[in-house]
Amino acid sequence: MIHSINQIGWLPGRSGVRILDQTLLPTEERFLDITTVEQMAEAIRALRVRGAPLIGIAAAMGVAAAAGRLDGSPVRRRENVLGACDVLQATRPTAVNLAWALDRMRRRARSAGQEEDLRGALTAEADAIWEEDRAMCQRIGEAGLPLLPDGATVHTHCNAGALATGGIGTALAPIYLAHAAGRRVQVIADETRPLLQGSRLTAWELTRAGIPTTVIADSMAASRLRQGDITCVIVGADRIARNGDVANKIGSYGLALAAREHAVPFYVAAPRSTFDAATPHGAAIPIEERAPDELRGMGGSSARPTAPDAANIWNPAFDVTPAELIAGYITDAGLLGRGELERLVGG
Amino acid sequence: MIHSINQIGWLPGRSGVRILDQTLLPTEERFLDITTVEQMAEAIRALRVRGAPLIGIAAAMGVAAAAGRLDGSPVRRRENVLGACDVLQATRPTAVNLAWALDRMRRRARSAGQEEDLRGALTAEADAIWEEDRAMCQRIGEAGLPLLPDGATVHTHCNAGALATGGIGTALAPIYLAHAAGRRVQVIADETRPLLQGSRLTAWELTRAGIPTTVIADSMAASRLRQGDITCVIVGADRIARNGDVANKIGSYGLALAAREHAVPFYVAAPRSTFDAATPHGAAIPIEERAPDELRGMGGSSARPTAPDAANIWNPAFDVTPAELIAGYITDAGLLGRGELERLVGG
């Protein structure tokens, strides 16, 4: 590991899962020791652990740890494991990675023989999910590393970093590797309203790793890009359509327009699992609208409302950046151009 | 008056000034009765009254009201008035309108004859400043009214409304007039980080006037413009350079880029006093950087920091929108194209 954020880990003897409580960042670095499925469900629901890959890993580890304390017959214990998977999946019903990781745990539980050590099998499966994610982050980092020469300045949006994955992140992975290679690299982080993942999380994990980071309001991005010293923009992706259009955190599209205006290349970093060949283009991607309260206050709090009750709120979680604004895709299958995306299928 | 926000007014007998405390919006509509220069200085410093034209008017009215309680010889009373002007001007040293309004009050105090009613002269001068501002807002509204047909949707940024002026605002003036004329008009208001003038102030004053308003995060503007139903963007201006480049609240430039991408005309509404023929172009406009704390929390509060101490903050107050992105200038001298800006000089 080239950094030491410890966003997730096993408790001694794999008896439970230790997570960093991300709701307390950036002011407090507090770890939670989770030993029951109920505790893990609460942690996922309350966003104490977040980021699509990381909640999949956390849920899988939580299921494995809980299996160590089950009594009864093999059949009964297997049913308990499947029940735990259902409880955890219900915490974030639209999270694709969560469902995918729990499906792997379910399949492993079902395939376990009567004599097999159920807990050992599930622990190994959770470790495999985590390790695959770490390796995926590493490959994304290596694919993007050539884009960041010594002295590079990277502009990013939201948090596609270590705090969202089991490894060194996706959009931030090339930055961590460049820093580890001794290159001077600095980062401009959009704060990312409404939930402030840029200022709360990206700025926290990067500065903790010793990478100079400057937080700006989302509305300042165009002015910052105009200054002429930004090497590239790198953002994550929630879904990549067949034609290369990308759904990502709201604000990515406006950032891409500003980057084009100032001839700054705009890259999308994502694992191949993000590529959805069944979606022909961005207009076919459904855009989730989130609760108005996120915009009526700061970070979801409405203790002191910032908009009048009489006003409507529009709060889409994502936007779509058209493929023609994207210079390349930094993936675990390498740095790809738009015409090479089919290499992400299967893989 | 076509609305009833009462952002400012005289107390009975012009014995003082009643202001709406804008720091409590949008949750509380509380008025402050100000009878001393010290109270007015505090109100301006604390942004209880804000907006370049409005603080000029408030300061002038405050000086006039205070003059009514002065004792002593005419010379002594005049010196007290000049001292009051100095106290108020020091509250916002870079506010051009404030200095301009107080200079008018100083000149009037100096020109007052020994036998003249000093208080009456100053009250009349303050009334003239206020009335001229109201008329300027009205003329801007009339210049922009033809841009807003029945069913129009206007996208705006920050607050260039009644709460910033003594009348119906600048960018919002055409909207108020269209509404008063019985046209259906609705508004998209960027929340305007860091200080949230869009969600706190623009959304408040428009919904209070019965104009449907939707608040979005600044980062959502490009996605909203893509939807294809925005009639035009109208923003205010802090300074218009000779070539038509406009300095305005940070975020205006990115909004203008997104508007051009979606073929939505981008208008700037401002009084002729905003046109600065001595500034050749936008690059010559100094951009004020404000306190980092505005971005380390919500609305200037850092009770619960949102960015780590180790992160740098870049917090420019304004950006520059190049003239080629601007469809027209909605002014008190009419709706002008870029080549007609010289009509704003003198006037």
Side-chain angles (χ1 to χ4, degrees):
Chain A
M1 298 282 278
I2 60 166
H3 66 104
S4 55
I5 280 175
N6 296 322
Q7 67 274 53
I8 198 161
W10 290 108
L11 290 178
R14 288 176 162 67
S15 60
V17 186
R18 175 167 289 177
I19 64 157
L20 175 60
D21 186 346
Q22 298 194 25
T23 62
L24 303 177
L25 296 176
T27 44
E28 193 179 344
E29 186 175 338
R30 191 195 296 169
F31 294 91
L32 286 181
D33 290 351
I34 290 176
T35 54
T36 70
V37 168
E38 290 68 31
Q39 288 169 339
M40 184 59 81
E42 191 278 337
I44 295 173
R45 259 195 306 265
L47 305 179
R48 301 186 197 288
V49 57
R50 39 69 59 194
L54 187 57
I55 62 173
I57 295 164
M61 291 169 73
V63 167
R69 275 184 310 284
L70 292 176
D71 295 324
S73 69
V75 170
R76 173 73 188 278
R77 283 158 57 217
R78 183 189 301 170
E79 280 170 6
N80 277 331
V81 166
L82 298 176
C85 290
D86 293 344
V87 167
L88 290 172
Q89 191 164 339
T91 56
R92 299 280 302 268
T94 60
V96 174
N97 280 64
L98 176 63
W100 170 86
L102 289 168
D103 275 343
R104 277 181 66 164
M105 299 303 282
R106 285 189 187 96
R107 278 200 302 274
R108 191 66 192 88
R110 288 199 188 97
S111 70
Q114 292 276 351
E115 301 307 311
E116 194 178 354
D117 170 12
L118 180 63
R119 182 200 178 188
L122 293 175
T123 302
E125 190 71 13
D127 270 332
I129 291 171
W130 187 10
E131 180 51 36
E132 289 166 24
D133 189 66
R134 271 200 298 249
M136 175 274 290
C137 291
Q138 180 73 22
R139 285 195 300 272
I140 289 175
E142 289 163 0
L145 185 57
L147 302 173
L148 304 186
D150 186 47
T153 300
V154 181
H155 194 136
T156 190
H157 189 76
C158 198
N159 177 260
L163 288 170
T165 65
I168 56 172
T170 53
L172 302 191
I175 297 165
Y176 281 120
L177 291 189
H179 179 70
R183 299 181 198 169
R184 287 163 303 163
V185 55
Q186 63 166 321
V187 175
I188 307 297
D190 290 345
E191 67 168 0
T192 317
R193 278 286 278 159
L195 296 184
L196 304 171
Q197 293 93 336
S199 52
R200 289 198 307 112
L201 306 179
T202 293
W204 181 84
E205 67 168 88
L206 290 172
T207 55
R208 200 169 179 292
I211 298 168
T213 304
T214 300
V215 172
I216 64 173
D218 304 313
S219 63
M220 298 166 189
S223 278
R224 188 63 189 79
L225 285 157
R226 174 189 265 159
Q227 297 197 354
D229 62 337
I230 306 291
T231 308
C232 61
V233 178
I234 309 180
V235 301
D238 286 86
R239 200 189 300 195
I240 303 176
R242 192 165 66 234
N243 75 336
D245 291 351
V246 168
N248 190 46
K249 181 64 57 190
I250 187 74
S252 302
Y253 172 46
L255 180 59
L257 288 175
R260 181 186 60 185
E261 179 72 9
H262 295 291
V264 175
F266 182 95
Y267 293 100
V268 171
R272 68 187 73 196
S273 59
T274 310
F275 183 68
D276 180 9
T279 299
H281 48 67
I285 302 175
I287 300 297
E288 170 193 356
E289 280 196 42
R290 294 180 54 88
D293 273 359
E294 292 182 353
L295 265 176
R296 289 195 195 277
M298 192 59 156
S301 155
S302 54
R304 173 90 192 273
T306 58
D309 288 341
N312 304 309
I313 299 282
W314 186 55
N315 185 20
F318 309 109
D319 59 24
V320 173
T321 301
E324 60 263 30
L325 297 178
I326 298 170
Y329 302 81
I330 308 171
T331 79
D332 47 333
L335 177 62
L336 305 180
R338 204 185 319 165
E340 302 172 294
L341 286 174
E342 71 279 6
R343 283 163 59 182
L344 295 177
V345 181
Chain B
M1 298 282 278
I2 60 166
H3 67 104
S4 55
I5 281 174
N6 296 321
Q7 67 274 52
I8 197 160
W10 289 109
L11 291 177
R14 287 175 160 68
S15 59
V17 186
R18 175 167 290 177
I19 64 158
L20 176 60
D21 185 347
Q22 298 193 26
T23 61
L24 303 177
L25 297 176
T27 43
E28 194 180 341
E29 186 174 337
R30 192 195 294 170
F31 293 90
L32 286 180
D33 290 351
I34 290 176
T35 53
T36 71
V37 168
E38 290 67 34
Q39 289 171 338
M40 183 59 81
E42 191 278 338
I44 295 173
R45 260 195 306 266
L47 306 178
R48 300 187 199 287
V49 57
R50 40 67 62 191
L54 188 57
I55 62 174
I57 295 163
M61 291 168 73
V63 168
R69 275 184 309 286
L70 293 176
D71 294 324
S73 70
V75 170
R76 173 74 188 278
R77 284 158 56 214
R78 182 190 301 170
E79 280 168 5
N80 278 331
V81 165
L82 297 176
C85 290
D86 292 346
V87 167
L88 291 172
Q89 190 164 339
T91 56
R92 300 279 302 270
T94 59
V96 174
N97 280 64
L98 177 63
W100 169 86
L102 289 169
D103 274 344
R104 278 182 65 165
M105 298 303 281
R106 285 189 187 98
R107 277 200 302 275
R108 191 66 191 86
R110 288 198 187 98
S111 70
Q114 292 275 352
E115 301 306 310
E116 195 178 354
D117 170 14
L118 180 64
R119 180 200 179 189
L122 292 174
T123 302
E125 190 72 12
D127 270 332
I129 291 171
W130 187 11
E131 180 51 36
E132 289 166 25
D133 189 66
R134 270 200 298 248
M136 175 273 291
C137 292
Q138 180 73 21
R139 285 195 299 272
I140 289 175
E142 289 163 1
L145 184 58
L147 302 173
L148 304 186
D150 186 47
T153 300
V154 180
H155 195 137
T156 190
H157 189 76
C158 197
N159 177 262
L163 289 170
T165 64
I168 55 173
T170 54
L172 302 192
I175 297 165
Y176 282 119
L177 291 189
H179 179 71
R183 300 181 198 169
R184 286 163 303 161
V185 55
Q186 62 166 322
V187 175
I188 308 297
D190 290 346
E191 67 169 1
T192 318
R193 278 285 279 159
L195 295 185
L196 305 171
Q197 293 93 336
S199 53
R200 289 199 306 110
L201 306 179
T202 293
W204 180 83
E205 67 169 87
L206 289 173
T207 56
R208 199 169 179 291
I211 297 168
T213 303
T214 299
V215 172
I216 64 174
D218 304 313
S219 63
M220 298 166 187
S223 278
R224 188 63 189 80
L225 285 158
R226 174 189 265 159
Q227 296 198 355
D229 62 337
I230 305 291
T231 308
C232 61
V233 178
I234 308 180
V235 302
D238 285 86
R239 200 190 300 197
I240 303 175
R242 192 166 64 235
N243 75 336
D245 291 352
V246 168
N248 190 45
K249 180 65 55 191
I250 188 74
S252 302
Y253 172 46
L255 180 60
L257 289 175
R260 181 187 59 185
E261 179 72 9
H262 296 290
V264 175
F266 182 96
Y267 293 100
V268 171
R272 67 187 74 196
S273 58
T274 310
F275 183 68
D276 179 10
T279 299
H281 47 66
I285 301 175
I287 301 296
E288 169 192 358
E289 280 195 43
R290 294 180 54 86
D293 273 359
E294 292 182 353
L295 265 177
R296 289 195 195 276
M298 191 57 155
S301 156
S302 53
R304 172 91 192 274
T306 57
D309 288 340
N312 304 310
I313 299 281
W314 185 55
N315 185 21
F318 309 108
D319 60 23
V320 173
T321 300
E324 59 264 30
L325 297 178
I326 298 169
Y329 303 80
I330 307 170
T331 79
D332 47 333
L335 177 63
L336 304 180
R338 204 185 319 164
E340 302 173 293
L341 286 174
E342 71 279 5
R343 283 164 58 182
L344 295 177
V345 181

